[in-house]
Amino acid sequence: MNPSGTAVSAPGKVLLAGGYLVLDREYTGLVFGLSARIHAHVKPLPTSSGVTISEIIVRSPQFIDAEWRYGYRLADNNGGIEVTQLEDLSTSSLSRNPFVETALGYALSYITTIISPNIEPSVITILADRDYYSQPDQPPQQTSAPGQPQFIDFQVPLHEAHKTGLGSSAALVTALCASLLTHYLPDDVVTLSMASAKAFANSSESVVRPKRSFESDKKNDKKARLSLESKASDGSNRQSPTDSGKARLHNLAQAAHCAAQGKVGSGFDVAAAVYGSCIYKRFSPSVLEELGLVGSPGFARRLKNVVEDTNPAKRWDVQIFKSAVSVPRGLRLVMCDVDCGSQTVGMVKQMLAWRRRKPAYVNNLWAHLQRRNEEFGSTLTKLARSHYPNQNYETLAYIISAIRSLVREMTAMSGVPVEPPAQALLLSYCSSLTGVVGGVVPGAGGYDAIALLVEDRDDVMRRLHEVLSRWGYDPDGGEGPTTGRARVLGVREEMEGVKAESSHQYSAWL
């Protein structure tokens, strides 16, 4: 345990291709990590000499009254650590934070299976990079202006903040679990890299080097498949501490995030938070189905089996293709926040209901979309490996256009607004600008964001800022400053996943 504190950050995400398909193990998703990160800093909670307490304080000082105090106790019958919010002491007593509370219970329960069950009290500070939340009163062009601070005071309670859809809950759970593991456990169990994002982006390998195997796609291209299997306790195929530590972190964060959500999702957001940009094939939900509740008899033992992947009947079958994702030098990813909103859960239910009604049609459409998505990823990677100084992006633009055409068909036939008319108009207009290769409505679609691939030039970014600062959409009359104000966020692609941080950058907030 580091008495001066332990700091960790995890990136946000954008599902650039594979929305809805990523829910099914027959398909994959093209996921990019984003440079906006959630940070977690843990340090011991000072107590008077001879006084023993069981309390963890979680602070989020960028928001008004955002402090939660938790008591914790070791449950009977190997039930793990039960965490209870101390409402009389928490400034956010009327607002539970299920992601924080669940991550604490899961992480502390796993920690007690390795070290003494006597957990020392601590203070956790959580900070979010500025682009995780919309700032409605700020002019759009100022959102990502150079020289602005990394962290700002959002000046609202957390429940009133408007998320920009960058994957804050997955990044939060991952950063929180990682900070607790690295704070309480020995270095030979969990160690995180502090490698720079630039160095990582130029490497074809992950910081993690799990067991590797290869498979051929229909074009006989070889893709490195990174299996997240934990190694046997006898040491066979032994990984380095960093490798196995990240695999354990991935499994723990997936389990905690699913429990906090109340459902087993696809998990691409947690995978991006742990491993960064990748092509992702989901895990089978059955891996987590017998875990049970924190505090139930045997929970800690079952959690340890899940985290360390030691149950032969419930092995993690998730697949992460790290080396299959690259961004060509001279291109960058741009995220644009659109000031509307989408009910993603309702959209997913509606989409899955449509698939049940029209399985043959949907499966055929999704097979075509999967092939285009694979072309998208492989074309990006081939361009990234090319050494030509002046790249031609016409093929890439054509593939993006073909993906959008299939997505619009899915929108029309399902009734789910994956690429609704307002977003289609905005994307088409942006794609017509010089230096913009193309763009999509990311993830499950809807009205709240678009993602663009653009040439990494200052003049292109200035033009985007200018265009989006004036953008609006009137469904009755075309273009106008009525709804759907959009702005460029100050984020870009991030190849690196979770990493250790230096505590000094948080000094003003601790």
Side-chain angles (χ1 to χ4, degrees), residues 93-133:
S93 59
L94 300 180
S95 176
R96 288 183 61 243
N97 192 320
F99 291 99
V100 168
E101 190 170 321
T102 305
L104 284 175
Y106 273 62
L108 296 179
S109 293
Y110 177 64
I111 288 166
T112 60
T113 68
I114 298 176
I115 62 171
S116 166
N118 298 319
I119 301 291
E120 298 294 326
S122 59
V123 180
I124 304 172
T125 300
I126 297 171
L127 295 168
D129 285 354
R130 60 185 297 119
D131 285 302
Y132 269 104
Y133 296 90

Short mmCIF file of all heavy atoms in Angstrom, two decimals, residues 93-133:
data_model
loop_
_atom_site.label_atom_id
_atom_site.label_comp_id
_atom_site.label_asym_id
_atom_site.label_seq_id
_atom_site.Cartn_x
_atom_site.Cartn_y
_atom_site.Cartn_z
N SER A 93 -26.67 11.88 0.27
CA SER A 93 -27.42 10.83 0.95
C SER A 93 -28.71 10.46 0.24
O SER A 93 -29.22 9.36 0.40
CB SER A 93 -27.74 11.28 2.39
OG SER A 93 -28.49 12.48 2.38
N LEU A 94 -29.25 11.40 -0.57
CA LEU A 94 -30.48 11.10 -1.28
C LEU A 94 -30.23 10.48 -2.64
O LEU A 94 -31.17 10.17 -3.36
CB LEU A 94 -31.31 12.38 -1.44
CG LEU A 94 -31.74 13.06 -0.13
CD1 LEU A 94 -32.55 14.32 -0.43
CD2 LEU A 94 -32.55 12.11 0.73
N SER A 95 -28.97 10.31 -3.01
CA SER A 95 -28.64 9.81 -4.34
C SER A 95 -27.59 8.71 -4.23
O SER A 95 -26.41 9.00 -4.03
CB SER A 95 -28.13 10.96 -5.22
OG SER A 95 -27.72 10.49 -6.48
N ARG A 96 -28.02 7.46 -4.35
CA ARG A 96 -27.06 6.36 -4.35
C ARG A 96 -26.29 6.36 -5.66
O ARG A 96 -26.79 6.79 -6.70
CB ARG A 96 -27.78 5.03 -4.18
CG ARG A 96 -28.32 4.78 -2.80
CD ARG A 96 -28.94 3.39 -2.72
NE ARG A 96 -27.96 2.34 -2.97
CZ ARG A 96 -28.03 1.49 -4.00
NH1 ARG A 96 -29.00 1.59 -4.89
NH2 ARG A 96 -27.11 0.56 -4.16
N ASN A 97 -25.09 5.85 -5.61
CA ASN A 97 -24.29 5.69 -6.81
C ASN A 97 -24.02 4.18 -6.97
O ASN A 97 -23.07 3.65 -6.40
CB ASN A 97 -22.98 6.46 -6.73
CG ASN A 97 -22.26 6.53 -8.06
OD1 ASN A 97 -22.23 5.56 -8.81
ND2 ASN A 97 -21.69 7.67 -8.36
N PRO A 98 -24.88 3.47 -7.72
CA PRO A 98 -24.75 2.01 -7.78
C PRO A 98 -23.44 1.55 -8.40
O PRO A 98 -22.94 0.47 -8.05
CB PRO A 98 -25.95 1.59 -8.63
CG PRO A 98 -26.34 2.81 -9.41
CD PRO A 98 -26.01 3.98 -8.53
N PHE A 99 -22.86 2.33 -9.31
CA PHE A 99 -21.61 1.91 -9.93
C PHE A 99 -20.46 1.97 -8.93
O PHE A 99 -19.63 1.05 -8.87
CB PHE A 99 -21.32 2.76 -11.16
CG PHE A 99 -22.27 2.52 -12.29
CD1 PHE A 99 -23.34 3.37 -12.52
CD2 PHE A 99 -22.13 1.41 -13.11
CE1 PHE A 99 -24.24 3.14 -13.54
CE2 PHE A 99 -23.03 1.16 -14.14
CZ PHE A 99 -24.09 2.03 -14.35
N VAL A 100 -20.41 3.01 -8.12
CA VAL A 100 -19.38 3.11 -7.10
C VAL A 100 -19.58 2.05 -6.03
O VAL A 100 -18.66 1.32 -5.66
CB VAL A 100 -19.38 4.52 -6.46
CG1 VAL A 100 -18.51 4.55 -5.21
CG2 VAL A 100 -18.88 5.56 -7.46
N GLU A 101 -20.81 1.93 -5.55
CA GLU A 101 -21.10 0.99 -4.47
C GLU A 101 -20.82 -0.46 -4.89
O GLU A 101 -20.23 -1.24 -4.14
CB GLU A 101 -22.56 1.16 -4.05
CG GLU A 101 -22.93 0.42 -2.78
CD GLU A 101 -24.32 0.82 -2.29
OE1 GLU A 101 -24.68 2.00 -2.38
OE2 GLU A 101 -25.04 -0.10 -1.82
N THR A 102 -21.24 -0.82 -6.09
CA THR A 102 -21.03 -2.19 -6.57
C THR A 102 -19.55 -2.46 -6.82
O THR A 102 -19.04 -3.54 -6.46
CB THR A 102 -21.83 -2.44 -7.85
OG1 THR A 102 -23.20 -2.14 -7.62
CG2 THR A 102 -21.70 -3.89 -8.30
N ALA A 103 -18.84 -1.50 -7.44
CA ALA A 103 -17.41 -1.69 -7.69
C ALA A 103 -16.65 -1.87 -6.39
O ALA A 103 -15.74 -2.70 -6.30
CB ALA A 103 -16.86 -0.51 -8.48
N LEU A 104 -17.02 -1.10 -5.36
CA LEU A 104 -16.37 -1.26 -4.05
C LEU A 104 -16.60 -2.66 -3.50
O LEU A 104 -15.65 -3.33 -3.05
CB LEU A 104 -16.92 -0.23 -3.06
CG LEU A 104 -16.44 1.22 -3.19
CD1 LEU A 104 -17.19 2.10 -2.19
CD2 LEU A 104 -14.94 1.31 -2.93
N GLY A 105 -17.85 -3.11 -3.51
CA GLY A 105 -18.15 -4.44 -2.97
C GLY A 105 -17.42 -5.55 -3.69
O GLY A 105 -16.87 -6.46 -3.07
N TYR A 106 -17.40 -5.48 -5.03
CA TYR A 106 -16.73 -6.52 -5.81
C TYR A 106 -15.22 -6.47 -5.62
O TYR A 106 -14.57 -7.51 -5.42
CB TYR A 106 -17.10 -6.38 -7.28
CG TYR A 106 -18.37 -7.10 -7.67
CD1 TYR A 106 -19.59 -6.75 -7.11
CD2 TYR A 106 -18.36 -8.14 -8.60
CE1 TYR A 106 -20.76 -7.43 -7.45
CE2 TYR A 106 -19.52 -8.81 -8.95
CZ TYR A 106 -20.71 -8.45 -8.37
OH TYR A 106 -21.85 -9.12 -8.71
N ALA A 107 -14.63 -5.28 -5.73
CA ALA A 107 -13.17 -5.17 -5.63
C ALA A 107 -12.68 -5.58 -4.24
O ALA A 107 -11.71 -6.35 -4.12
CB ALA A 107 -12.73 -3.75 -5.96
N LEU A 108 -13.34 -5.09 -3.19
CA LEU A 108 -12.91 -5.43 -1.83
C LEU A 108 -13.12 -6.92 -1.55
O LEU A 108 -12.31 -7.55 -0.86
CB LEU A 108 -13.66 -4.58 -0.82
CG LEU A 108 -13.39 -3.06 -0.89
CD1 LEU A 108 -14.22 -2.33 0.15
CD2 LEU A 108 -11.90 -2.76 -0.69
N SER A 109 -14.21 -7.49 -2.06
CA SER A 109 -14.44 -8.93 -1.86
C SER A 109 -13.33 -9.75 -2.51
O SER A 109 -12.83 -10.72 -1.91
CB SER A 109 -15.80 -9.33 -2.46
OG SER A 109 -16.86 -8.74 -1.74
N TYR A 110 -12.91 -9.36 -3.71
CA TYR A 110 -11.83 -10.10 -4.36
C TYR A 110 -10.50 -9.91 -3.61
O TYR A 110 -9.74 -10.87 -3.42
CB TYR A 110 -11.67 -9.64 -5.81
CG TYR A 110 -10.51 -10.31 -6.50
CD1 TYR A 110 -10.49 -11.68 -6.72
CD2 TYR A 110 -9.39 -9.57 -6.91
CE1 TYR A 110 -9.41 -12.30 -7.32
CE2 TYR A 110 -8.31 -10.18 -7.51
CZ TYR A 110 -8.33 -11.55 -7.72
OH TYR A 110 -7.24 -12.17 -8.31
N ILE A 111 -10.26 -8.69 -3.15
CA ILE A 111 -9.01 -8.40 -2.42
C ILE A 111 -8.90 -9.29 -1.19
O ILE A 111 -7.81 -9.80 -0.87
CB ILE A 111 -8.96 -6.91 -2.06
CG1 ILE A 111 -8.70 -6.07 -3.32
CG2 ILE A 111 -7.89 -6.62 -1.01
CD1 ILE A 111 -8.94 -4.59 -3.14
N THR A 112 -10.00 -9.51 -0.48
CA THR A 112 -9.94 -10.31 0.75
C THR A 112 -9.69 -11.79 0.48
O THR A 112 -9.37 -12.53 1.40
CB THR A 112 -11.24 -10.17 1.56
OG1 THR A 112 -12.36 -10.61 0.77
CG2 THR A 112 -11.45 -8.73 1.99
N THR A 113 -9.82 -12.23 -0.77
CA THR A 113 -9.49 -13.62 -1.09
C THR A 113 -7.98 -13.80 -1.27
O THR A 113 -7.51 -14.93 -1.38
CB THR A 113 -10.20 -14.10 -2.37
OG1 THR A 113 -9.67 -13.40 -3.51
CG2 THR A 113 -11.70 -13.89 -2.28
N ILE A 114 -7.24 -12.70 -1.30
CA ILE A 114 -5.80 -12.76 -1.55
C ILE A 114 -5.00 -12.33 -0.33
O ILE A 114 -3.96 -12.92 -0.01
CB ILE A 114 -5.44 -11.88 -2.77
CG1 ILE A 114 -6.15 -12.40 -4.01
CG2 ILE A 114 -3.93 -11.82 -3.00
CD1 ILE A 114 -5.93 -11.56 -5.24
N ILE A 115 -5.47 -11.28 0.35
CA ILE A 115 -4.76 -10.78 1.53
C ILE A 115 -5.68 -10.86 2.74
O ILE A 115 -6.79 -11.37 2.66
CB ILE A 115 -4.27 -9.34 1.32
CG1 ILE A 115 -5.45 -8.40 1.10
CG2 ILE A 115 -3.30 -9.26 0.15
CD1 ILE A 115 -5.06 -6.93 1.10
N SER A 116 -5.24 -10.33 3.84
CA SER A 116 -6.03 -10.31 5.07
C SER A 116 -7.37 -9.64 4.84
O SER A 116 -7.47 -8.65 4.11
CB SER A 116 -5.26 -9.55 6.15
OG SER A 116 -6.11 -9.24 7.25
N PRO A 117 -8.43 -10.16 5.45
CA PRO A 117 -9.74 -9.53 5.30
C PRO A 117 -9.86 -8.19 6.01
O PRO A 117 -10.90 -7.53 5.88
CB PRO A 117 -10.70 -10.57 5.91
CG PRO A 117 -9.87 -11.35 6.86
CD PRO A 117 -8.50 -11.40 6.25
N ASN A 118 -8.84 -7.78 6.73
CA ASN A 118 -8.86 -6.50 7.42
C ASN A 118 -8.45 -5.39 6.46
O ASN A 118 -7.27 -5.11 6.26
CB ASN A 118 -7.92 -6.52 8.63
CG ASN A 118 -8.35 -7.57 9.65
OD1 ASN A 118 -9.54 -7.72 9.93
ND2 ASN A 118 -7.38 -8.29 10.20
N ILE A 119 -9.45 -4.76 5.83
CA ILE A 119 -9.21 -3.69 4.85
C ILE A 119 -9.01 -2.37 5.57
O ILE A 119 -9.85 -1.96 6.38
CB ILE A 119 -10.40 -3.58 3.87
CG1 ILE A 119 -10.61 -4.89 3.13
CG2 ILE A 119 -10.19 -2.43 2.90
CD1 ILE A 119 -9.53 -5.25 2.15
N GLU A 120 -7.90 -1.70 5.28
CA GLU A 120 -7.65 -0.39 5.89
C GLU A 120 -8.57 0.65 5.26
O GLU A 120 -8.88 0.60 4.07
CB GLU A 120 -6.19 0.01 5.67
CG GLU A 120 -5.17 -0.91 6.33
CD GLU A 120 -5.27 -0.86 7.84
OE1 GLU A 120 -5.58 0.22 8.39
OE2 GLU A 120 -5.05 -1.91 8.48
N PRO A 121 -9.04 1.64 6.05
CA PRO A 121 -9.91 2.69 5.50
C PRO A 121 -9.16 3.56 4.49
O PRO A 121 -7.94 3.69 4.55
CB PRO A 121 -10.32 3.49 6.74
CG PRO A 121 -9.23 3.24 7.73
CD PRO A 121 -8.76 1.84 7.48
N SER A 122 -9.89 4.15 3.57
CA SER A 122 -9.24 4.96 2.53
C SER A 122 -10.18 6.05 2.03
O SER A 122 -11.38 6.03 2.29
CB SER A 122 -8.80 4.06 1.36
OG SER A 122 -9.91 3.39 0.79
N VAL A 123 -9.58 6.99 1.31
CA VAL A 123 -10.31 8.07 0.64
C VAL A 123 -10.07 7.94 -0.85
O VAL A 123 -8.91 7.86 -1.30
CB VAL A 123 -9.84 9.47 1.12
CG1 VAL A 123 -10.62 10.57 0.39
CG2 VAL A 123 -10.00 9.60 2.61
N ILE A 124 -11.13 7.92 -1.63
CA ILE A 124 -11.02 7.79 -3.08
C ILE A 124 -11.55 9.07 -3.72
O ILE A 124 -12.67 9.50 -3.43
CB ILE A 124 -11.83 6.58 -3.59
CG1 ILE A 124 -11.38 5.29 -2.90
CG2 ILE A 124 -11.70 6.46 -5.11
CD1 ILE A 124 -12.26 4.10 -3.21
N THR A 125 -10.75 9.67 -4.57
CA THR A 125 -11.16 10.85 -5.33
C THR A 125 -11.32 10.47 -6.79
O THR A 125 -10.41 9.90 -7.39
CB THR A 125 -10.13 11.99 -5.20
OG1 THR A 125 -10.00 12.33 -3.81
CG2 THR A 125 -10.59 13.22 -5.98
N ILE A 126 -12.50 10.77 -7.34
CA ILE A 126 -12.80 10.44 -8.74
C ILE A 126 -12.90 11.74 -9.53
O ILE A 126 -13.60 12.68 -9.14
CB ILE A 126 -14.12 9.66 -8.85
CG1 ILE A 126 -13.99 8.31 -8.12
CG2 ILE A 126 -14.49 9.43 -10.31
CD1 ILE A 126 -15.30 7.57 -7.99
N LEU A 127 -12.19 11.80 -10.64
CA LEU A 127 -12.20 12.97 -11.51
C LEU A 127 -12.48 12.55 -12.94
O LEU A 127 -12.04 11.48 -13.38
CB LEU A 127 -10.86 13.71 -11.44
CG LEU A 127 -10.49 14.33 -10.09
CD1 LEU A 127 -9.03 14.76 -10.08
CD2 LEU A 127 -11.39 15.51 -9.77
N ALA A 128 -13.20 13.40 -13.66
CA ALA A 128 -13.54 13.12 -15.06
C ALA A 128 -12.96 14.21 -15.94
O ALA A 128 -13.08 15.41 -15.63
CB ALA A 128 -15.06 13.07 -15.24
N ASP A 129 -12.32 13.81 -17.03
CA ASP A 129 -11.89 14.80 -18.01
C ASP A 129 -13.10 15.60 -18.49
O ASP A 129 -14.22 15.07 -18.56
CB ASP A 129 -11.20 14.12 -19.19
CG ASP A 129 -9.80 13.64 -18.84
OD1 ASP A 129 -9.32 13.94 -17.74
OD2 ASP A 129 -9.19 12.94 -19.68
N ARG A 130 -12.89 16.84 -18.86
CA ARG A 130 -13.97 17.79 -19.09
C ARG A 130 -14.99 17.35 -20.13
O ARG A 130 -16.16 17.71 -20.05
CB ARG A 130 -13.37 19.15 -19.49
CG ARG A 130 -12.52 19.10 -20.75
CD ARG A 130 -11.85 20.44 -21.06
NE ARG A 130 -12.82 21.48 -21.32
CZ ARG A 130 -12.92 22.60 -20.59
NH1 ARG A 130 -12.12 22.79 -19.56
NH2 ARG A 130 -13.82 23.50 -20.87
N ASP A 131 -14.60 16.57 -21.11
CA ASP A 131 -15.51 16.24 -22.21
C ASP A 131 -16.48 15.11 -21.90
O ASP A 131 -17.29 14.75 -22.76
CB ASP A 131 -14.71 15.91 -23.47
CG ASP A 131 -14.14 17.15 -24.12
OD1 ASP A 131 -14.93 18.04 -24.47
OD2 ASP A 131 -12.91 17.25 -24.25
N TYR A 132 -16.45 14.56 -20.69
CA TYR A 132 -17.42 13.54 -20.34
C TYR A 132 -18.82 14.11 -20.15
O TYR A 132 -19.81 13.38 -20.19
CB TYR A 132 -17.00 12.81 -19.05
CG TYR A 132 -16.17 11.59 -19.32
CD1 TYR A 132 -14.80 11.60 -19.12
CD2 TYR A 132 -16.75 10.41 -19.78
CE1 TYR A 132 -14.03 10.48 -19.37
CE2 TYR A 132 -15.99 9.28 -20.04
CZ TYR A 132 -14.63 9.32 -19.84
OH TYR A 132 -13.88 8.21 -20.09
N TYR A 133 -18.91 15.42 -19.92
CA TYR A 133 -20.21 16.02 -19.65
C TYR A 133 -20.41 17.25 -20.52
O TYR A 133 -19.48 18.04 -20.72
CB TYR A 133 -20.33 16.40 -18.16
CG TYR A 133 -20.27 15.19 -17.25
CD1 TYR A 133 -19.05 14.73 -16.74
CD2 TYR A 133 -21.43 14.49 -16.92
CE1 TYR A 133 -18.99 13.61 -15.93
CE2 TYR A 133 -21.37 13.37 -16.11
CZ TYR A 133 -20.15 12.93 -15.62
OH TYR A 133 -20.09 11.82 -14.82
#
